[in-house]
């Protein structure tokens, strides 16, 4: 596998071509952003931590029968993945109310959401990733109705695999964001699953163990990412 030109640079990752047309290298950066990149910073070694955590979680999900873009971990910051066409839809799964849903609907922080709630956001930075409905997805041809049905089924299944995994490690999976891609007509889980894209609350102390520490200036950011890694990969 020879790494080629950069295909895309996002806020937290870079994607490189390889000598295999079907495969890309996903490189994890230390850059951190919040509030649609209005807040910018660096979380030291975040790229290394998120690559390791994502690798572990993609392996776990593959074992549970969820098809992902993950092929193998190449180095501290690099993962080999299938080259997918990312659907421009961010899928958010919520087990507890916090974050944007509280601002939008005035819910009580920590309210249990059971069965879990699925929300769709249109992946477009220039619009600030707005909340969309299935009708918007259909109207804008972002995905077919069958694909939307699959996104919902897959997201709930992923929640059912991840929730007990984190519970056993003393962490509550509060909410998380998934991205999916198309590969040979199949929907694959793509992007990453990490403290950047999930919210975890320590079950004993309620302490925030995710990117909310950066978003809300809660301190001990690097230590917390390392602690999540220790619990996930122990
Ligand atoms: P929200 O409450 O801000 O809508 O976030 C819901 C979940 O999605 C939370 O776990 C953080 C994650 N998330 C991302 O991964 N990327 C984003 O750009 C945003 C806004 C949230
Ligand atoms: N990734 C987001 C951004 O800066 C922010 C977030 O995760 O809250 O656009």
């Amino acid at each position: 596998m020879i790494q080629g030109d950069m295909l895309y640079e996002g806020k937290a990752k870079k994607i490189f071509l390889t000598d295999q047309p079907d495969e890309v290298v996903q490189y994890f950066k230390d850059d951190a952003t919040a509030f649609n990149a209005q807040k910018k910073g660096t979380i030291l070694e975040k790229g290394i931590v998120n690559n390791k955590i994502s690798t572990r979680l993609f392996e776990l999900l593959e074992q549970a029968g969820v098809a992902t873009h993950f092929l193998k971990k190449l180095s501290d910051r690099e993962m080999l993945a299938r080259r997918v066409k990312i659907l421009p839809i961010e899928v958010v799964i919520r087990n507890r109310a916090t974050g944007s849903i509280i601002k939008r609907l005035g819910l009580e922080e920590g309210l249990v959401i059971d069965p879990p709630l699925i929300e769709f956001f249109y992946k477009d930075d220039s619009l600030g990733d707005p909340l969309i409905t299935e009708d918007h997805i259909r109207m804008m041809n972002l995905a077919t109705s069958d694909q939307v049905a699959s996104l919902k089924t897959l997201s709930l299944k992923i929640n059912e695999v991840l929730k007990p995994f984190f519970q056993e490690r003393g962490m509550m999976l509060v909410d998380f964001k998934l991205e999916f891609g198309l590969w040979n007509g199949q929907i694959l889980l793509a992007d990453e699953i990490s403290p950047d894209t999930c919210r975890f609350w320590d079950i004993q102390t309620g302490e925030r163990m995710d990117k909310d520490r950066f978003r809300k200036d809660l301190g001990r950011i690097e230590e917390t990412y390392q602690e999540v890694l220790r619990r996930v990969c122990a």
Side-chain angles (χ1 to χ4, degrees), residues 11 33-37 196 211 215:
K11 285 176 283 199
T33 61
F35 316 117
N36 203 18
D196 274 15
K211 202 167 120 184
R215 294 189 188 99

Side-chain angles (χ1 to χ4, degrees), residues 11-12 32-40 90 125 128-129 177 195-197 199 211-212 214-215:
K11 285 176 283 199
T33 61
F35 316 117
N36 203 18
Q38 288 177 65
K39 176 171 179 163
K40 289 197 175 99
E90 298 194 347
D125 284 340
D129 297 342
K177 184 264 299 179
D196 274 15
T197 63
R199 286 195 179 98
K211 202 167 120 184
D212 270 356
F214 170 79
R215 294 189 188 99

Side-chain angles (χ1 to χ4, degrees), residues 11 90 92 94 98-101 104 119 121 129 175-177 196-199 211 215:
K11 285 176 283 199
E90 298 194 347
V92 169
R94 300 187 190 270
T98 191
S100 70
I101 195 169
R104 216 181 314 123
E119 293 178 334
F121 294 84
D129 297 342
D175 60 25
F176 57 104
K177 184 264 299 179
D196 274 15
T197 63
C198 304
R199 286 195 179 98
K211 202 167 120 184
R215 294 189 188 99

Side-chain angles (χ1 to χ4, degrees), residues 170-229:
M171 295 154 78
M172 186 191 296
L173 178 60
V174 172
D175 60 25
F176 57 104
K177 184 264 299 179
L178 300 173
E179 295 186 29
F180 294 88
L182 295 178
W183 175 75
N184 285 340
Q186 196 190 345
I187 296 180
L188 301 184
L189 176 65
D191 193 53
E192 66 177 284
I193 309 177
S194 72
D196 274 15
T197 63
C198 304
R199 286 195 179 98
F200 307 116
W201 295 352
D202 186 281
I203 288 172
Q204 300 281 330
T205 65
E207 212 174 22
R208 281 23 183 187
M209 301 187 69
D210 55 67
K211 202 167 120 184
D212 270 356
R213 302 204 74 82
F214 170 79
R215 294 189 188 99
K216 299 181 174 179
D217 295 318
L218 299 178
R220 295 190 8 263
I221 303 174
E222 275 85 2
E223 294 92 310
T224 303
Y225 273 68
Q226 294 291 342
E227 175 61 15
V228 175
L229 173 63

Side-chain angles (χ1 to χ4, degrees), residues 34-73:
F35 316 117
N36 203 18
Q38 288 177 65
K39 176 171 179 163
K40 289 197 175 99
T42 303
I43 302 175
L44 280 179
E45 304 211 339
K46 172 170 82 76
I48 299 172
V49 170
N50 284 358
N51 189 26
K52 285 188 178 151
I53 293 174
S54 290
T55 293
R56 176 74 183 94
L57 297 178
F58 282 135
E59 284 171 350
L60 177 78
L61 289 165
E62 287 278 355
Q63 282 162 12
V66 176
T68 80
H69 74 153
F70 175 79
L71 291 169
K72 67 174 171 183
K73 184 170 178 286

Side-chain angles (χ1 to χ4, degrees), residues 6-212:
M6 189 165 74
L7 187 61
Y8 172 80
E9 178 159 14
K11 285 176 283 199
K13 296 186 292 298
K14 296 177 188 175
I15 305 292
F16 294 91
L17 294 167
T18 69
D19 55 355
Q20 302 298 313
D22 192 31
E23 299 176 4
V24 291
V25 171
Q26 179 161 267
Y27 176 95
F28 289 75
K29 304 192 281 186
D30 286 351
D31 300 352
T33 61
F35 316 117
N36 203 18
Q38 288 177 65
K39 176 171 179 163
K40 289 197 175 99
T42 303
I43 302 175
L44 280 179
E45 304 211 339
K46 172 170 82 76
I48 299 172
V49 170
N50 284 358
N51 189 26
K52 285 188 178 151
I53 293 174
S54 290
T55 293
R56 176 74 183 94
L57 297 178
F58 282 135
E59 284 171 350
L60 177 78
L61 289 165
E62 287 278 355
Q63 282 162 12
V66 176
T68 80
H69 74 153
F70 175 79
L71 291 169
K72 67 174 171 183
K73 184 170 178 286
L74 294 172
S75 69
D76 266 0
R77 291 177 182 274
E78 293 167 315
M79 156 187 303
L80 189 67
R82 291 227 184 274
R83 184 174 181 181
V84 299
K85 191 171 180 310
I86 293 281
L87 292 169
I89 300 169
E90 298 194 347
V91 185
V92 169
I93 298 88
R94 300 187 190 270
N95 294 306
R96 294 261 186 166
T98 191
S100 70
I101 195 169
I102 283 189
K103 296 207 181 87
R104 216 181 314 123
L105 302 178
L107 303 180
E108 181 196 335
E109 169 90 356
L111 175 81
V112 174
I113 304 176
D114 189 18
L117 178 73
I118 300 181
E119 293 178 334
F120 298 113
F121 294 84
Y122 180 38
K123 192 172 149 64
D124 186 322
D125 284 340
S126 68
L127 299 173
D129 297 342
L131 180 77
I132 50 173
T133 67
E134 290 189 49
D135 283 353
H136 291 117
I137 293 176
R138 191 173 326 120
M139 185 261 295
M140 294 171 74
N141 286 318
L142 303 181
T144 66
S145 300
D146 284 355
Q147 286 169 342
V148 172
S150 297
L151 294 183
K152 292 205 276 191
T153 309
L154 283 166
S155 297
L156 291 175
K157 167 143 194 198
I158 291 164
N159 190 40
E160 287 313 307
V161 175
L162 295 184
K163 238 183 358 181
F165 177 85
F166 285 105
Q167 172 106 19
E168 285 159 18
R169 288 157 178 79
M171 295 154 78
M172 186 191 296
L173 178 60
V174 172
D175 60 25
F176 57 104
K177 184 264 299 179
L178 300 173
E179 295 186 29
F180 294 88
L182 295 178
W183 175 75
N184 285 340
Q186 196 190 345
I187 296 180
L188 301 184
L189 176 65
D191 193 53
E192 66 177 284
I193 309 177
S194 72
D196 274 15
T197 63
C198 304
R199 286 195 179 98
F200 307 116
W201 295 352
D202 186 281
I203 288 172
Q204 300 281 330
T205 65
E207 212 174 22
R208 281 23 183 187
M209 301 187 69
D210 55 67
K211 202 167 120 184
D212 270 356

